[in-house]
Amino acid sequence: RLCADSRCLTRFLSQFTGEKLGQAEKTELDAHFENLLSRADSTKNWTEKILRQTEVLLQPNPSARIEEFLYEKLDRKIPSRITNGELLGQYMIDAASEFGPGTPYGTTLIKVGEAQRHLGAADRDFIQSSMINFLMPLRNFLEGDWKTISKERRLLENRRLDLDACKARLKKAKAAEAKASATPDFQETRPRNYVLSASASALWSEEVTKAEQELRSAQTEFDRQAEVTRLLLEGISSTHTTHLRCLHEFVEAQATYYAQCYQYTLDLQKLLGR
């Protein structure tokens, strides 16, 4: 329940400003909820760092990363890019053609070039596998679940400000009602003031009743939003489970990649040793 009129909006902003200046009371969330918030923030921050650094590992060229980022934002397919190993292999094979493929140097260039092309292809497979099985789930969390959590947290903060503004209004109304209801001094107060005092007391009593109704409504909506937010925050455990599985797949792909690289270079070494 957000403020619907100018008076309520004024109280809302007054509450926000008062808290910033340390002049207004604030409803605190329980320790378990605060722990959930802290865990969610930590998950978001470290997921971002791991995602970005993995991108650097897979694609060290910053210009290429920017280009791929733009393609993703434009929802266009990223063009196939030749790997550095494949490019090096092609250069060696082309050089062998010019130097003479039958010469010792030319023959060796062809053999090493072919091995480099195999290494480059293995690198390409590793990059593709890592992007699909590791980076994509991390990015989906940041762009999907985390945005939903952030939206509901902002809404909860608004509900909390609204609730505390209602509490402040009720406190002020009760204080004014108590002052207006105080027994006047019959010796020093004019009869006309008795009437004014009674009228003010009735008005403040009505104000207290309205403030209590507003507070009950604000409390209900705050509690409802807190429960929605809590359920989303508890879902971070499922996120960790998903990312754990993706991490295993990343390690498997990396192990396969390095095993292939070792085998290609070992075979090349034996071939050249002959």
Side-chain angles (χ1 to χ4, degrees), residues 4 6 23 31 35 43 50 74 153-154 157 159 178 196 239 249 251 261 268 272:
S6 58
Q23 299 173 348
N35 288 335
T43 299
I50 292 171
L74 295 173
R153 284 177 67 176
R154 288 193 298 269
E157 179 64 7
R159 296 284 191 261
L196 293 175
T239 298
E249 294 182 2
V251 172
C261 291
L268 175 63
L272 296 182

Side-chain angles (χ1 to χ4, degrees), residues 97-121:
S97 298
E98 186 167 334
F99 296 152
T103 64
Y105 184 36
T107 301
T108 303
L109 277 173
I110 292 175
K111 293 175 181 179
V112 176
E114 289 292 345
Q116 295 303 318
R117 289 171 66 174
H118 287 308
L119 291 169

Side-chain angles (χ1 to χ4, degrees), residues 84 104 138:
N84 292 327
L138 267 59

Side-chain angles (χ1 to χ4, degrees), residues 62-76:
S63 298
R65 290 200 306 273
I66 293 174
E67 182 182 351
E68 291 172 359
F69 173 78
L70 292 176
Y71 272 103
E72 287 181 2
K73 290 302 178 182
L74 295 173
D75 198 22
R76 295 174 59 183

Side-chain angles (χ1 to χ4, degrees), residues 37 39 41 89 99 101 154 158 168-169 238:
L37 289 172
R39 186 165 181 250
D41 287 334
F99 296 152
R154 288 193 298 269
N158 288 339
R169 178 194 177 191
S238 297

